[in-house]
Each structure stands twice: as structure tokens, then as C-alpha cells.
Amino acid sequence: FLYSRPFIESFEETPMLVAVLTYMGYGILTIFGYLRDFLRHWKIERCHIAREKEEQKDFVPLYQDFENFYTRNLYMRIRDNWNRPICSVPGAKMDLMERASHDYNWTFEYTGRVVQDVINLGSYNYLGFAENTGPCADSAAEVTMKYGVGIASTRQEIGNLDRHEEMEKLVAKFLGVESAMAFGMGFATNSMNIPALAGKGCLILSDELNHASLVLGARLSGSTIRVFKHNNMQSLEKLLKEAIVHGQPRTHRPWKKILIVVEGIYSMEGSIVRLPEVIALKKRYRAYLYLDEAHSIGALGPRGRGVVDYFGLDPCDVDVMMGTFTKSFGAAGGYIAGKRLIEYLRSHSHSAVYATSMSPPVVEQIITSMKCIMGEDGTTIGCDRVRQLAENTVYFRKRLREMGFIIYGNNDSPVVPMMLYMPAKIGAFGREMLKRNIGVVVVGFPATPIIESRARFCISAAHTNDMLDRALSVISEVGDLLQLKYSRHRIQPSLARPVDDNVYEDIDD
């Protein structure tokens, strides 16, 4: 009875024929890659790749040439799907600068044309605060005139503003914890703070799909790292039992501390952490819990307060709450929140001691958007956006499943991975969608397993019903064109736009 509402996640197995064809596709690309490398070696084909200078041929190479095999022979074929320059606010709609390549994606040149009103299904703009009008933009502009943009100092020296102090108090209040501390970069919040919390003689139990920043932080800490299967509580409990029974290798002394590291929403899978079960295990085995809420803060829960709010849990049960301001708040940076550890981090975290203070307009964007979500601005805009995001998410996921696509993740996750599988379809899907004025993110190896390439949609509260219906119509059209409707478990389509009874009800704060 750990869950008060259904916890529904689906990861439909890859159809056997699709898996075989996908492996064949990568095999053919690899063969042609070796052939083209042979032609480049003998100067038959022009070589664009980064390589060591001829006069350095007797040196130990700076990097291994083979490490670039995938990049130059597979990635380059579909490189036009990434790094597209945006020339507007990346809100629900955006404008893109058109590019053309005359050397098979090695270089690009701008045509001078702007592709306007592209529906944006790729940005992490979950609550629609990435905008250049409204109270957040006005407040940020006002603060810029007063404080400027840069501070040119660290917090510990002469870069600690009153706005920083206010923001951290607001974050702590928002999360329902004792204190919080903000950092200028979300990635560094993980990679620089985990080494301050764990070290030699400590054990880190990490989910196999944790973000690169968590992996880097764990490695930099010098702790022993053991990986458990994604969201698999049996795997986690087995590692906890072994850690308690056997202790440290060779000496068998007890571990100094055991730190469980998980994410709220996994950004490639669209899954939500089984937090009630993780907390139960953490308490049973007296471990510590580090929760990364980069994608879940603001995007989950009836009050937008993340995965803890989503499950109706006590924030005090999570030892270290980490999150970023880069997504739901439309700003930049990250935070660490919890009890009795913030003052320690102020003097021991490299990111706190050496990094420059957060820019004042960014801080103001965070304060204004957070007050909006909390209802402290005197309006219901924030609450309405949280509700709208939940409704959009349920609707979008349900419609994609009805169409016959394989969709990964939790029903309530605004990150919606749609499986493409075959390498040729990664580029084709991105290009065909842009032709129809829909901007999407396509993802392949090494960011995903080699046969699990996908398109990743990110739903926003700023998306209107018409935008979502237009996008769904185009996705269905392109899905038929590229034969992407792989699912063997189609559900009957509903005629009306569904209203999910589980979508958040009004909650007085």
C-alpha cells in the first residue's frame, strides 16, 4: 500500500523483425564506413575528419582515430537533425534559421531564410516559462537595470546578492525542507556536489540509467560504485543486503555511508522513479538517498513540487534533494536542498567555492516563476499551468498509443519517447517532421542502446489543444510514411479528448 494512485509504466518489447532489420542496418553502415575509410586513406575520397598533423605522426596520438568511426560514418549522415540554430524564444512555437550542406553534413551554410512558427516538441519548457513577455520577463529586465548581468565574483567573496538569499529561502519553502543552496550550472550541481558528500570508503548505488552528471559525480568522488537495474527494487535490495553483510572489499569493514542515487523522471525513458519503494528500502537498510529532480520539479505533482509531491511523501524522507532551474522554471542553474547539509556544502563543494555567482536576471526569473507556481503572485496562473501540463501529457500519450506507436515510460511523464529503432529512420523522421513545421528531438546511440533509437517529445503547458492535435496528425502521417507504427497492442481510439479522473484536483496550499 505504498502507492495512493495507479503507477502505470510500459516498455513494449522490440518486435523481433524490427530488431533484426535494425542490426542489419547498422551492419551495412559499418561495412560502408570501413570502405569509405579505406578510400579516405588512399586519398580517393576527400577526408574532412579531425586528425593528427603529419609532422606529429611519430608522437603518441592525442586521441584514437577509431573512436571517431561512429561519428564520421554514421552520425555525419544525419547531423542536420541537431544543432539547429533557433532565432526566437524557444516556447511552444519557435523560428529556425534554415541551413544547407553541400558536403554531406560536414559543414553548413545559412540560406538566409527563416522557418517560422515551428511547433516546438523538443524543449524542456514544461510549464511554459521560457517566454519573453509576462511577469517573469518584466521582472528579469527590471533587475538587469538595477544589478547588471554579471557579478564577476563568487558567492563567498563579493558576489552574494540579496536576491540570491531570497531565492534560496524560496526554494527551501517551495520544497518543504530546512534549507537550500543554488548553483550556476545544473550539470555541475551533480558532478561537483556528490564528491563533497561521498568519498573513499563510501558506497554509491546508482540506477543504470542515471544522467551523465550523476555518473561523473560518482566517479569523481572516489567511492565504490555499484549499479542496479533501472527502477528494479529487487536489484537495489540485493545490493543493499550484500553491502550490509559483506562490507568493504578485502577489509570487510562497514561502509562509511551508503548513498542511493536516483532521478525523478528519467529523461530518455520517460519513466518515474518508484520513490515510495526506494524510501522504504533506504529506511530499512539505513542508507542515504540522493534524488535528482531535474526533469520532475515543476512538472509533477498537484502543486508542481516534483516527484515527492506526486507520491504525497514527506520531503524529510529524502536526504539530498537536487533539481535544476533550466527546465520548468525557464532559467539556468541548479539547487541542492535538505536538512543539516547546506552549511557543509557552502565550504566543501567546489561548485560553491570556486564558481561565479548566478546572474541576477536568471535569479529573478527563478524567483518570479516559483512564486507563480506557489500562487504567491496572487494569481492561479501557476496552478493552471501545472494542471494543463498533466492534461496535455495524458492526452498526447494516449493518442500516440491509439495510433499504434511504441511509447516508453509512465503515463504521467511529460517526457514521451517514441521508438524509431532503425538508424535510417532517425534522420528521416526529424527531416520529415521539420518539412511539416514540427520541431522534434531524435536520439540514437550512444545516448540510447544501439537498437533503441527514438524520438523524444517534451510536452509543455504552453501547447494548446490545436497545437497538439496538429502535431499528432503530422506524427501519424510521417509514421505511416516511414512505417513507424510498430506496436502490437493497439487500443481503440476514443472520439472525444479524454479528461483523466486522475489529473490533479485542486489543492489548497
Side-chain angles (χ1 to χ4, degrees):
F1 301 102
L2 292 173
Y3 297 92
S4 58
R5 53 183 288 162
F7 187 81
I8 304 169
E9 291 190 347
S10 64
F11 299 92
E12 188 175 329
E13 194 174 334
T14 309
M16 180 59 73
L17 177 61
V18 174
V20 170
L21 291 174
T22 302
Y23 277 121
M24 284 177 61
Y26 278 106
I28 292 166
L29 283 168
T30 303
I31 292 167
F32 274 93
Y34 279 114
L35 176 61
R36 296 185 71 181
D37 277 357
F38 175 80
L39 296 175
R40 289 176 188 133
H41 178 73
W42 292 103
K43 307 285 193 296
I44 298 171
E45 181 180 325
R46 189 179 172 191
C47 185
H48 297 275
I49 59 174
R51 50 179 17 190
E52 303 286 352
K53 293 179 181 177
E54 192 65 30
E55 55 266 30
Q56 291 179 312
K57 64 182 179 181
D58 296 325
F59 287 34
V60 175
L62 184 62
Y63 59 88
Q64 293 298 320
D65 186 52
F66 183 77
E67 290 172 3
N68 285 327
F69 181 85
Y70 178 86
T71 302
R72 69 179 172 265
N73 292 307
L74 281 76
Y75 169 70
M76 280 297 169
R77 293 171 178 267
I78 53 176
R79 187 182 171 208
D80 55 301
N81 285 279
W82 293 278
N83 309 314
R84 288 170 177 155
I86 296 168
C87 52
S88 70
V89 175
K93 286 189 175 182
M94 59 188 177
D95 298 337
L96 299 179
M97 295 174 69
E98 188 178 68
R99 300 178 300 174
S101 178
H102 304 292
D103 54 6
Y104 303 101
N105 290 342
W106 286 100
T107 60
F108 293 97
E109 62 181 41
Y110 299 114
T111 63
R113 178 173 170 263
V114 173
V115 184
Q116 296 184 325
D117 293 330
V118 176
I119 295 176
N120 181 4
L121 288 179
S123 294
Y124 306 131
N125 184 25
Y126 298 128
L127 294 180
F129 282 114
E131 52 194 356
N132 58 359
T133 58
C136 293
D138 294 341
S139 297
E142 191 178 320
V143 163
T144 304
M145 297 303 293
K146 181 179 179 182
Y147 292 91
V149 174
I151 297 179
S153 180
T154 67
R155 291 282 297 277
Q156 289 195 352
E157 292 166 358
I158 205 163
N160 190 28
L161 300 180
D162 55 348
R163 307 308 290 163
H164 291 128
E165 298 283 341
E166 182 182 343
M167 173 184 63
E168 289 176 345
K169 287 176 183 173
L170 189 66
V171 171
K173 182 180 177 183
F174 179 66
L175 297 171
V177 295
E178 284 181 10
S179 57
M181 184 177 181
F183 303 87
M185 181 182 177
F187 191 98
T189 305
N190 278 330
S191 59
M192 293 292 101
N193 283 297
I194 292 177
L197 296 170
K200 195 172 181 182
C202 298
L203 174 66
I204 292 178
L205 301 180
S206 176
D207 189 291
E208 66 179 345
L209 296 182
N210 275 345
H211 190 261
S213 60
L214 293 167
V215 174
L216 178 61
R219 288 175 178 171
L220 289 174
S221 72
S223 304
T224 300
I225 304 166
R226 289 181 186 153
V227 178
F228 62 91
K229 292 177 183 175
H230 175 57
N231 243 353
N232 187 316
M233 296 304 108
Q234 290 76 26
S235 175
L236 175 57
E237 185 167 20
K238 183 185 176 188
L239 290 178
L240 282 165
K241 282 180 179 176
E242 289 175 356
I244 299 296
V245 171
H246 299 297
Q248 298 185 41
R250 292 192 299 275
T251 65
H252 299 294
R253 290 177 181 167
W255 294 99
K256 290 180 182 176
K257 69 181 84 161
I258 299 174
L259 185 66
I260 302 169
V261 180
V262 294
E263 292 186 50
I265 292 178
Y266 290 84
S267 60
M268 280 298 164
E269 305 301 308
S271 54
I272 295 174
V273 66
R274 294 180 175 273
L275 192 60
E277 295 174 64
V278 174
I279 288 176
L281 286 175
K282 167 223 152 180
K283 287 180 175 178
R284 186 183 305 164
Y285 294 98
R286 298 190 178 184
Y288 292 98
L289 176 59
Y290 186 107
L291 174 64
D292 177 343
E293 290 215 82
H295 287 268
S296 55
I297 193 67
L300 280 182
R303 299 174 298 172
R305 301 189 185 187
V307 70
V308 175
D309 185 32
Y310 175 78
F311 288 114
L313 302 170
D314 185 353
C316 295
D317 286 336
V318 180
D319 302 289
V320 187
M321 300 181 76
M322 176 272 169
T324 61
F325 304 119
T326 54
K327 300 169 178 70
S328 295
F329 303 100
Y335 65 82
I336 294 276
K339 51 188 178 182
R340 299 191 302 275
L341 82 154
I342 300 305
E343 290 309 315
Y344 170 81
L345 287 177
R346 287 193 198 282
S347 56
H348 286 79
S349 166
H350 283 75
S351 191
V353 177
Y354 299 108
T356 304
S357 301
M358 292 177 71
S359 177
V362 172
V363 171
E364 193 62 26
Q365 167 79 17
I366 296 163
I367 291 172
T368 313
S369 58
M370 195 170 285
K371 283 183 175 177
C372 188
I373 298 169
M374 295 168 75
E376 290 191 4
D377 61 341
T379 70
T380 61
I381 293 173
C383 182
D384 293 342
R385 291 191 184 195
V386 170
R387 183 195 302 278
Q388 188 63 52
L389 174 63
E391 289 179 2
N392 286 353
T393 296
V394 170
Y395 174 65
F396 193 79
R397 280 181 166 274
K398 186 172 183 181
R399 283 290 308 277
L400 285 178
R401 283 209 178 90
E402 288 171 355
M403 292 173 186
F405 294 105
I406 293 182
I407 304 300
Y408 275 8
N410 193 288
N411 283 359
D412 294 323
S413 169
V415 179
V416 187
M418 188 185 91
M419 305 312 292
L420 303 176
Y421 298 115
M422 300 180 198
K425 294 186 180 183
I426 303 172
F429 184 77
R431 291 172 191 141
E432 291 298 326
M433 291 296 287
L434 188 59
K435 279 182 190 175
R436 295 160 175 79
N437 257 38
I438 312 287
V440 298
V441 171
V442 285
V443 193
F445 179 83
T448 67
I450 199 159
I451 65 159
E452 291 186 14
S453 302
R454 64 198 67 178
R456 185 185 62 183
F457 307 116
C458 292
I459 306 304
S460 170
H463 288 137
T464 63
N465 296 353
D466 290 341
M467 285 181 198
L468 291 180
D469 287 337
R470 161 76 181 142
L472 287 162
S473 173
V474 169
I475 292 167
S476 181
E477 180 187 337
V478 175
D480 288 331
L481 179 68
L482 301 179
Q483 297 183 0
L484 298 173
K485 297 180 179 180
Y486 300 115
S487 180
R488 292 164 292 185
H489 308 299
R490 296 198 183 196
I491 57 176
Q492 290 299 316
S494 52
L495 297 176
R497 183 181 174 93
V499 178
D500 192 342
D501 294 335
N502 289 327
V503 170
Y504 312 132
E505 299 173 0
D506 285 324
I507 286 188
D508 293 329
D509 200 0

